[in-house]
Amino acid sequence: GAGVSQSPSNKVTEKGKDVELRCDPISGHTALYWYRQSLGQGLEFLIYFQGNSAPDKSGLPSDRFSAERTGGSVSTLTIQRTQQEDSAVYLCASSSRTENTEAFFGQGTRLTVV
Amino acid sequence: DAKTTQPPSMDCAEGRAANLPCNHSTISGNEYVYWYRQIHSQGPQYIIHGLKNNETNEMASLIITEDRKSSTLILPHATLRDTAVYYCIVRPRSNDYKLSFGAGTTVTVRA
């Protein structure tokens, strides 16, 4: 596709269930970022991938959160035993390895934990 | 740790230029200034970036002071669709770094 694609666009889950959020970056982009944005708040960095490795996972809020990236392309963010405070929009972005290029964001997955 | 300071909000009249300030007094020599905006319910959108020279593209102009401690994003003819939160970010040259978003400036363009 032409842009960063995220799925699902909306997800409602029950407290305690696990969820997987998917990000398809722009083809050829080696860098991939996950952010989350709670209602009315700014963007909170979660994790950054370069290829399949994650040199910066400092933003993951707890060990219930994990992410992986396979084949240097698709990434999955997994939240285990979801809590109500996990409700937010989860945004993915990708960029090329070339210096000084911009990151392109997807439209996000809106997660609601009930 | 956004390393930038922006006013929380500003209003602008439709058709007029909008000048958005940003302070980045601790910027280092290898860091660029990036601007993104986020329209309600959408993902952030890249606008422009620069190192020390002024930059212009189809969306905006970026004016960076000579000491690089501050910059101004200029939207030359604001429209209602420019209403958004605008983020000023400093980031090293290499793309091996995250983008750190602060609170940004909420810009409201009024008819």
Side-chain angles (χ1 to χ4, degrees):
Chain A
V4 177
S5 177
Q6 292 187 246
S7 60
S9 55
N10 282 283
K11 175 73 176 178
V12 179
T13 189
E14 292 181 352
K15 178 181 173 181
K17 294 286 181 65
D18 298 352
V19 295
E20 285 189 353
L21 311 180
R22 176 187 169 105
C23 173
D24 280 274
I26 292 173
S27 178
H29 279 190
T30 58
L32 186 147
Y33 313 80
W34 282 99
Y35 291 81
R36 75 174 176 180
Q37 189 169 34
S38 301
L39 187 63
Q41 302 299 309
L43 285 92
E44 176 188 4
F45 168 78
L46 297 177
I47 187 170
Y48 154 67
F49 286 92
Q50 186 61 254
N52 291 335
S53 65
D56 189 350
K57 53 181 76 173
S58 62
L60 295 177
S62 75
D63 58 8
R64 296 187 295 104
F65 288 72
S66 63
E68 65 175 14
R69 189 178 185 197
T70 55
S73 180
V74 172
S75 176
T76 302
L77 177 69
T78 301
I79 309 173
Q80 296 179 310
R81 305 180 302 281
T82 53
Q83 304 295 313
Q84 287 187 330
E85 61 263 29
D86 300 334
S87 296
V89 175
Y90 289 80
L91 289 155
C92 174
S94 71
S95 70
S96 72
R97 188 63 188 271
T98 307
E99 293 181 350
N100 310 324
T101 56
E102 65 267 35
F104 295 85
F105 282 80
Q107 293 303 299
T109 293
R110 181 175 298 278
L111 175 67
T112 304
V113 182
V114 297
Chain B
D1 187 15
K3 301 178 66 174
T4 62
T5 304
Q6 300 177 251
S9 64
M10 63 183 295
D11 285 1
C12 176
E14 188 179 21
R16 304 293 293 271
N19 297 302
L20 283 63
C22 179
N23 286 327
H24 31 79
S25 58
T26 60
I27 194 170
S28 61
N30 71 339
E31 288 182 317
Y32 280 68
V33 180
Y34 281 77
W35 283 83
Y36 283 76
R37 73 179 183 184
Q38 187 174 24
I39 296 170
H40 182 62
S41 298
Q42 298 184 19
Q45 175 191 24
Y46 165 82
I47 301 173
I48 198 167
H49 73 280
L51 181 64
K52 56 183 178 180
N53 296 322
N54 297 338
E55 302 288 344
T56 295
N57 63 20
E58 65 278 4
M59 290 183 67
S61 295
L62 175 61
I63 308 298
I64 302 174
T65 58
E66 191 168 345
D67 63 8
R68 304 209 320 123
K69 293 185 177 182
S70 65
S71 60
T72 301
L73 179 75
I74 301 173
L75 307 178
H77 304 287
T79 71
L80 298 179
R81 288 177 295 181
D82 291 323
T83 292
V85 180
Y86 287 76
Y87 298 98
C88 170
I89 299 163
V90 296
R91 187 189 192 209
R93 178 192 300 266
S94 166
N95 277 346
D96 283 335
Y97 291 89
K98 64 192 180 191
L99 290 163
S100 294
F101 289 83
T105 297
T106 299
V107 174
T108 303
V109 180
R110 303 192 185 278

